[in-house]
Amino acid sequence: MKRAAIGGDLRDSIGAFLTVSELRRRNAAHRVEVIAETGTDPGYKGAIEPPVDPEALKLDVQEEGTRQLTARDLIGLWGWQRRTGDVIDFVGQELATRGLRVTPHFTEVQLDGLVTVSAQEANPAGETAQDVPRTDTGQTSTPGAGEDLSRHWRIGSLPFVRDVVTIGYEEPLSRAITRMVQGDFSQLPVVNRNNVLRGIITWESIARAQLGRRGDTIAAALDPHPHTAQEQEELLVRIGDIQRHGFLIVTDSDNLVLGILTASDLADQLRLRVEPFILLGEAERRLRRLTDRLILDELPTGSGVRKTRAAGKYLTLGQYPAVLKDDVCWARLGWPYEQDDLVNRVTEVKDYRNELAHWDMDAPETKTEALTETKHLLSLLKLIDHDPRP
């Protein structure tokens, strides 16, 4: 039996440090039986309940050798919801303190992607290896305070298509063309029976095969050197490749196809991550312009508002609620809105901005209500603040 025929999650369990262990999670026993009979892992789909706290996680690892959970559930054991640089450092240190390691590192997968926690492996000196992510060159990358978070952004951190349509190496080329037309695909990974990548079929490679009269087979149109990446590789290092080639086939260490990351995926993620900052910046700009008419003596003294203006600086988004709460300022502004309602809206948007200020690696899709509130506030401001005509 080839190692590649066994699912990665099952290989992690088999690779536990315990000499003898019972494989109980994720239908492991049944899957091993099926693999022995057919040579193919049927896989597992289903929810995995996380431990109740970090100590329960450690106990699970001690009893069973490994423990699987999502990256979201892992950082949630310490009360976090998103992976900022500080969170990555903190959780990594907490795991190391308990003698635990995570494979793959929880920065290398999507927030709802699975990771496997196990005991740290002792080195000859009796010390334990630190749980840090590895770069695509094989060298360890140790997160440090103030380090650029981009080093923690991995291929696996982005949502990419995991249910990839592939074509078998022995299948007819006409079938590949049919799948590409029906799915509106520009490429199709070619795999063997164990889903190991053998190459790629593209419209360009098909055209070359037909123009060169090389035949109507997968082999004739195969590009045997597809552009691939692994989930642990740094994202920013590979963006140029995605731009040039339009996609990367995501594989594991055994060259099994895990998914495909396209230029379209990158564009979607860019919009998700940039849009909140554009809207917040626009709302802050309009608030600043609308309140410029207030003279220094009219401003409230709380929240450092008057001091900030006296120093010739712009007010921060966090200071505007204090301005709008002040009855003198509100009357002077003369806005046609309910005062308490607008104060609450600006306060919510301020809180949203504070949450996003660290530009963490997880797109703010979980904050759709706050994003909608920002859009509503901006629409209200636009009605009373008109851009000057060119």
Side-chain angles (χ1 to χ4, degrees):
M1 182 199 313
K2 293 186 178 181
R3 184 174 184 268
I6 305 175
D9 63 323
L10 191 54
R11 292 201 302 270
D12 288 339
S13 297
I14 294 173
F17 295 116
L18 298 183
T19 303
V20 179
S21 61
E22 179 183 358
L23 301 179
R24 293 183 291 178
R25 297 188 185 278
R26 300 174 66 79
N27 291 343
H30 171 70
R31 290 166 61 187
V32 169
E33 182 179 355
V34 174
I35 292 172
E37 294 176 353
T38 67
T40 302
D41 184 356
Y44 172 78
K45 293 182 179 180
I48 299 177
E49 290 295 326
V52 295
D53 55 37
E55 291 307 314
L57 172 65
K58 180 179 179 181
L59 182 61
D60 282 351
V61 171
Q62 290 174 342
E63 291 180 347
E64 302 196 28
T66 63
R67 179 62 156 95
Q68 285 195 320
L69 69 168
T70 66
R72 184 190 303 275
D73 288 336
L74 177 66
I75 64 176
L77 296 179
W78 286 273
W80 302 103
Q81 296 180 337
R82 307 178 72 78
R83 293 173 292 186
T84 66
D86 290 341
V87 169
I88 293 169
D89 292 344
F90 176 82
V91 174
Q93 184 59 48
E94 287 288 307
L95 290 167
T97 299
R98 290 170 173 79
L100 302 175
R101 65 190 298 267
V102 181
T103 309
H105 194 269
F106 61 93
T107 60
E108 297 175 12
V109 300
Q110 297 172 35
L111 196 54
D112 289 314
L114 285 175
V115 296
T116 300
V117 183
S118 57
Q120 285 187 351
E121 186 175 5
N123 62 29
E127 299 174 347
T128 55
Q130 292 297 310
D131 180 23
V132 295
R134 292 184 174 273
T135 66
D136 51 325
T137 60
Q139 298 176 336
T140 58
S141 170
T142 305
E147 181 182 350
D148 186 355
L149 185 59
S150 65
R151 288 191 59 79
H152 300 300
W153 285 41
R154 306 283 162 169
I155 294 290
S157 304
L158 286 183
F160 55 81
V161 176
R162 291 183 178 270
D163 188 15
V164 184
V165 177
T166 60
I167 189 75
Y169 185 78
E170 304 298 334
E171 296 184 63
L173 181 60
S174 58
R175 188 172 300 166
I177 294 175
T178 300
R179 290 180 183 176
M180 291 173 69
V181 171
Q182 288 180 338
D184 193 23
F185 304 137
S186 59
Q187 68 284 315
L188 207 61
V190 178
V191 298
N192 66 13
R193 65 187 300 270
N194 289 321
N195 204 40
V196 175
L197 185 65
R198 294 289 301 274
I200 192 84
I201 293 286
T202 66
W203 289 122
E204 181 180 357
S205 70
I206 292 173
R208 289 180 181 276
Q210 293 179 342
L211 290 173
R213 302 183 182 279
R214 296 200 296 265
D216 295 327
T217 65
I218 292 290
L222 182 72
D223 177 355
H225 303 293
H227 301 281
T228 64
Q230 294 192 3
E231 291 184 287
Q232 69 269 24
E233 292 185 47
E234 292 181 30
L235 173 64
L236 298 188
V237 173
R238 301 306 304 272
I239 282 182
D241 292 332
I242 299 173
Q243 289 176 321
R244 284 189 294 273
H245 308 297
F247 67 92
L248 289 175
I249 305 296
V250 183
T251 63
D252 68 4
S253 58
D254 294 311
N255 213 30
L256 271 71
V257 175
L258 301 179
I260 185 168
L261 179 61
T262 67
S264 177
D265 295 329
L266 278 180
D268 289 342
Q269 286 300 305
L270 180 64
R271 181 186 61 80
L272 282 174
R273 296 167 190 274
V274 170
E275 182 184 27
F277 292 92
I278 293 176
L279 295 175
L280 287 165
E282 180 69 3
E284 188 168 4
R285 181 179 71 87
R286 290 183 181 275
L287 280 170
R288 180 184 305 137
R289 191 160 63 188
L290 284 165
T291 57
D292 274 348
R293 70 183 69 174
L294 299 174
I295 62 176
L296 183 61
D297 291 341
E298 293 176 329
L299 294 174
T301 57
S303 302
V305 172
R306 190 175 295 186
K307 182 178 180 180
T308 299
R309 180 70 71 81
K313 299 178 180 179
Y314 291 130
L315 298 183
T316 66
L317 189 56
Q319 291 175 314
Y320 285 110
V323 174
L324 300 180
K325 284 180 183 178
D326 186 87
D327 291 336
V328 174
C329 291
W330 183 257
R332 177 80 166 83
L333 291 170
W335 294 355
Y337 303 126
E338 185 180 358
Q339 182 179 9
D340 289 343
D341 177 72
L342 201 68
V343 169
N344 290 336
R345 290 178 184 273
V346 174
T347 300
E348 289 182 18
V349 171
K350 178 260 298 183
D351 293 340
Y352 180 44
R353 180 185 182 277
N354 290 343
E355 290 183 23
L356 298 182
H358 296 291
W359 187 261
D360 57 55
M361 66 188 300
D362 300 310
E365 70 281 353
T366 58
K367 296 293 183 181
T368 53
E369 291 184 4
L371 182 60
T372 300
E373 185 59 45
T374 303
K375 293 178 180 178
H376 288 167
L377 174 63
L378 186 55
S379 66
L380 292 174
L381 296 178
K382 284 182 177 180
L383 287 175
I384 55 177
D385 174 56
H386 303 287
D387 287 316
R389 294 183 178 182

